[in-house]
Amino acid sequence: MNVYLLGAGASKSYEISKTNERLPLAVDFFTTFNKLKISANGWVIISDLIGYVKDKRNISFSEFSKYNEDIEKLHTEIQEHYLEAISKKDNYDIYRYGRAYSQLISLFCSVINEIQNGDESEFHKNLVLGLDEDDVIITFNWDTLIDKSLRNNTDWTVKDGYSLSPEKVYCDRWVEGVASGTKNKLLKLHGSTNWISSYISYDFQEEKIAFQHAGSNELIYIYESTIKPYPCYDGRYMAGYEDFSMGYYPPNIPSIEDKRKVPDNHVVMQKIFRNGINPKGTSSSEGIVSLPIIIPPVKNKSYEFYGNLFPSIWKEAEDSLADADNIYVLGYSFPATDKPSTDLFKKAFSRRSSIPNVVIVNPNPDEIVHKFTFDFGIPKSNLRVFYDFITSEYVIQKNV
């Protein structure tokens, strides 16, 4: 059995986006965003995020179009301010930092959706065409390039291909997520831009960060495709997206019980500022407003917030790495902030009675080789190293 581990370098191979941009790294995220048409769209709500940058970086609203900073550093900083405000019960800061944090998640996913929106990736297509039936793909990426290639070229489906049990799947409407016997598994350890649940915000009554829906935090809906407009926040459906990609607002999840309670003799009122670039959308607003399920690029990642959703995926990844004959590390560099990924390999390899063969494809692989030999105990005789960038034409060398 083979395991293919995909990192940011694999997604960087995608070069046929409708935007003519490539998926960004942390250090060029905002530069990339400001090149996209979505950055001038009045429906994109980032006012609290811009306000944060203005207050903390002394960058004016008009200068935001030239702003650039490592998104991991910024997202981590906002998260820390948000959690500190909660610990101090500072309602004003809870509100503004919480909104900035959520807006950055939406913006992050939006940039990915914009750039992955295009024809199928040649690299990912070639990868899946070479899969054996029991091969597993593990990825730390949030994009859906590999998802699309799996769906297009194998028996893989979103209904059970992620090793999850989605409540429903969106294929032009919400349908039941019934298992179909998918053979290859795609394990997305940091979530995905097409996984969604209800919006997350601070519940001032319960004094904790919470979902808007009632019930389990593990509740997950999966988006695949649409032909007609779907219901979303303020009816702001955006057309022109390929399968597995969507506009800034994902579809609202079906009208299950809304967790927010309205006291007797009270009503909920919401004011949405309107101007020439922020008209009301024309699609429906029914259902509960949603947000992508991702573990954002922050230093302290909160996997447990989604109940057993992520622990179950990580456990399956560990099992796969413990059983694999061959492991292909494609464009992943084990960044220092991803300590859980190092722990994952250590735990998996500690269970092994044999030594796997490992193929590393990376333009700067020396530190990765060091990690495999000294941290994971893989002898150099079991390593094959390719000092390569992954391009759209790259073909994986499988003779390990």
Side-chain angles (χ1 to χ4, degrees), residues 29 103 142 206 241 273 288 325 335 357:
F29 174 84
Q103 288 171 16
W142 304 272
E206 297 188 9
Y241 292 85
F273 177 73
I288 298 178
D325 301 305
N357 297 307

Side-chain angles (χ1 to χ4, degrees), residues 151-399:
R151 195 278 310 269
N152 289 354
N153 300 285
T154 72
D155 70 346
W156 186 92
T157 74
V158 300
K159 294 180 179 180
D160 59 356
Y162 296 116
S163 284
L164 299 171
S165 299
E167 187 77 9
K168 291 183 183 295
V169 170
Y170 200 92
C171 297
D172 205 41
R173 61 188 177 86
W174 287 114
V175 299
E176 297 298 324
V178 180
S180 59
T182 293
K183 297 181 177 67
N184 297 118
K185 295 298 181 182
L186 173 59
L187 307 177
K188 306 191 80 168
L189 303 187
H190 286 168
S192 185
T193 56
N194 69 321
W195 298 1
I196 54 179
S197 188
S198 67
Y199 194 83
I200 302 166
S201 60
Y202 187 78
D203 188 319
F204 287 94
Q205 291 183 327
E206 297 188 9
E207 297 186 333
K208 66 178 183 179
I209 302 171
F211 293 95
Q212 289 186 353
H213 71 267
S216 171
N217 286 15
E218 299 174 17
L219 187 73
I220 180 173
Y221 292 78
I222 294 176
Y223 174 84
E224 182 174 354
S225 62
T226 196
I227 298 174
K228 57 181 181 288
Y230 54 64
C232 58
Y233 172 76
D234 198 34
R236 299 180 181 188
Y237 169 78
M238 299 176 183
Y241 292 85
E242 305 287 339
D243 293 357
F244 291 93
S245 298
M246 67 185 88
Y248 186 79
Y249 296 98
N252 288 350
I253 62 176
S255 296
I256 57 177
E257 182 185 355
D258 194 320
K259 187 176 183 178
R260 296 166 298 173
K261 302 298 183 182
V262 181
D264 293 341
N265 302 318
H266 289 72
V267 296
V268 174
M269 297 185 66
Q270 182 180 42
K271 176 70 174 178
I272 299 177
F273 177 73
R274 302 286 183 203
N275 58 26
I277 61 172
N278 182 29
K280 179 176 172 56
T282 58
S283 71
S284 168
S285 299
E286 66 180 5
I288 298 178
V289 174
S290 64
L291 191 71
I293 297 176
I294 67 165
I295 303 298
V298 293
K299 184 176 181 180
N300 297 310
K301 298 176 172 64
S302 301
Y303 300 99
E304 70 282 355
F305 181 74
Y306 294 93
N308 195 47
L309 182 69
F310 284 101
S312 67
I313 300 171
W314 280 73
K315 180 59 168 63
E316 188 157 352
E318 180 190 325
D319 293 343
S320 299
L321 290 168
D323 293 339
D325 301 305
N326 306 299
I327 299 171
Y328 297 82
V329 182
L330 307 173
Y332 185 67
S333 300
F334 291 89
T337 53
D338 272 354
K339 184 179 180 296
S341 64
T342 295
D343 293 341
L344 171 68
F345 273 77
K346 286 181 176 179
K347 289 173 65 177
F349 287 176
S350 70
R351 295 168 46 188
R352 297 186 64 102
S353 59
S354 62
I355 300 174
N357 297 307
V358 178
V359 174
I360 299 170
V361 181
N362 197 294
N364 301 293
D366 293 344
E367 290 188 12
I368 308 169
V369 171
H370 184 275
K371 182 174 286 290
F372 270 92
T373 53
F374 289 94
D375 292 354
F376 303 152
I378 305 298
K380 288 190 176 181
S381 58
N382 286 65
L383 295 177
R384 289 185 67 198
V385 183
F386 297 89
Y387 288 71
D388 292 328
F389 286 97
I390 296 176
T391 65
S392 58
E393 298 85 13
Y394 192 85
V395 177
I396 299 168
Q397 304 296 316
K398 295 189 65 175
N399 295 322

Side-chain angles (χ1 to χ4, degrees), residues 122-161:
E122 284 299 314
F123 168 74
H124 293 85
K125 178 180 179 180
N126 290 333
L127 189 158
V128 304
L129 287 174
L131 293 176
D132 295 329
E133 280 193 356
D134 59 348
D135 288 351
V136 174
I137 298 172
I138 299 173
T139 182
F140 292 95
N141 300 334
W142 304 272
D143 64 78
T144 57
L145 296 173
I146 189 65
D147 316 45
K148 182 189 287 188
S149 288
L150 281 166
R151 195 278 310 269
N152 289 354
N153 300 285
T154 72
D155 70 346
W156 186 92
T157 74
V158 300
K159 294 180 179 180
D160 59 356

Side-chain angles (χ1 to χ4, degrees), residues 52 56 76-86 97:
Y52 180 91
K56 303 297 185 182
T76 296
E77 183 181 308
I78 294 175
Q79 179 195 51
E80 290 172 348
H81 282 302
Y82 185 30
L83 296 177
E84 182 182 10
I86 291 173
Y97 292 143

